[in-house]
Amino acid sequence: IYFIEKSFQTNFILKFCILVVFGGLLTMGILYLLGIGSTTVSIINSRVIVRSTADFLLPILIQTIAVVTILVGLGTILVTLFVSHKIAGPLHRLKKVIEKLQEGDVSEDFHIRTGDQLKDLADGFNQMIRNLRFNIQQFKDHLLVLKEKLDSISDSESVEHKRLYLSELRNIVEELNRITQRFKT
């Protein structure tokens, strides 16, 4: 499937095709203008005809530029399709990973095929996901310990044990606070 993000890829291809057509018309216009100041003598059906070089070349220019523009346009379509695919594919996958992140799912990495563009973006994005996973896991671990300590306090009858647990709870809360300080809001 080469059309992954149809609107992006279609616009990408059309812009390059317009550039090819513009280049062909510009070439034809320049050659026509350069030929206006000279004359050409030709023999057509045993008759000698004298015309400006621009008028003589115009039909040939139109045919040549039309054929070249069509051939180069087809080549441009193919090349830009493959190039846009190397961009649109990673963008499509990035969009899917972002949707999962919005749902709170940090289990998936942003994978890019060999030869695709945006490799640096993928590496940075994956590092961000790994950091999030690590911070979330630390937070979960500390919450679990916190819950266990709270359960132990309610079961304990000794005031000394309660003080010890409260001290440990403060340490855990401080660690949770350090974890949350890593995030800028």
Side-chain angles (χ1 to χ4, degrees):
I1 300 173
Y2 285 99
F3 272 107
I4 297 170
E5 294 286 333
K6 288 181 175 74
S7 63
F8 164 74
Q9 288 180 278
T10 302
N11 286 333
F12 190 78
I13 291 169
L14 284 177
K15 287 176 185 174
F16 279 97
C17 286
I18 289 170
L19 187 62
V20 168
V21 169
F22 178 73
L25 292 174
L26 183 64
T27 302
M28 186 172 64
I30 290 171
L31 290 174
Y32 183 80
L33 290 174
L34 292 174
I36 286 179
S38 64
T39 56
T40 300
V41 177
S42 64
I43 299 174
I44 300 175
N45 296 329
S46 301
R47 294 178 35 202
V48 175
I49 299 175
V50 178
R51 293 192 283 187
S52 76
T53 303
D55 291 336
F56 180 73
L57 289 177
L58 186 61
I60 297 168
L61 282 174
I62 290 173
Q63 292 171 357
T64 304
I65 297 294
V67 170
V68 169
T69 300
I70 289 170
L71 293 176
V72 172
L74 290 173
T76 300
I77 289 171
L78 290 174
V79 168
T80 54
L81 177 62
F82 290 120
V83 169
S84 68
H85 180 75
K86 300 278 185 189
I87 297 169
L91 289 177
H92 179 74
R93 283 190 294 286
L94 176 62
K95 186 174 155 185
K96 295 297 181 190
V97 171
I98 288 173
E99 287 171 359
K100 290 213 175 231
L101 287 172
Q102 287 173 334
E103 296 169 359
D105 183 357
V106 294
S107 64
E108 209 168 300
D109 285 335
F110 177 31
H111 297 288
I112 288 193
R113 298 171 300 203
T114 304
D116 276 350
Q117 298 298 313
L118 309 176
K119 183 73 172 132
D120 291 341
L121 176 68
D123 293 343
F125 207 78
N126 285 331
Q127 185 59 46
M128 178 194 69
I129 292 171
R130 283 190 292 274
N131 290 345
L132 280 172
R133 279 187 205 132
F134 177 77
N135 288 322
I136 290 169
Q137 189 58 50
Q138 272 193 320
F139 201 83
K140 284 180 176 180
D141 293 346
H142 284 84
L143 280 177
L144 183 62
V145 171
L146 184 64
K147 183 183 178 312
E148 290 171 358
K149 295 292 180 187
L150 284 172
D151 290 344
S152 297
I153 287 176
S154 60
D155 294 342
S156 175
E157 294 180 20
S158 161
V159 173
E160 187 58 38
H161 278 132
K162 288 184 181 183
R163 283 188 186 144
L164 180 65
Y165 286 133
L166 284 175
S167 174
E168 290 176 6
L169 288 175
R170 281 189 190 98
N171 291 338
I172 294 170
V173 168
E174 286 175 20
E175 183 59 31
L176 288 172
N177 191 38
R178 274 193 294 279
I179 292 170
T180 58
Q181 292 298 319
R182 295 178 192 159
F183 298 97
K184 312 271 188 288
T185 56

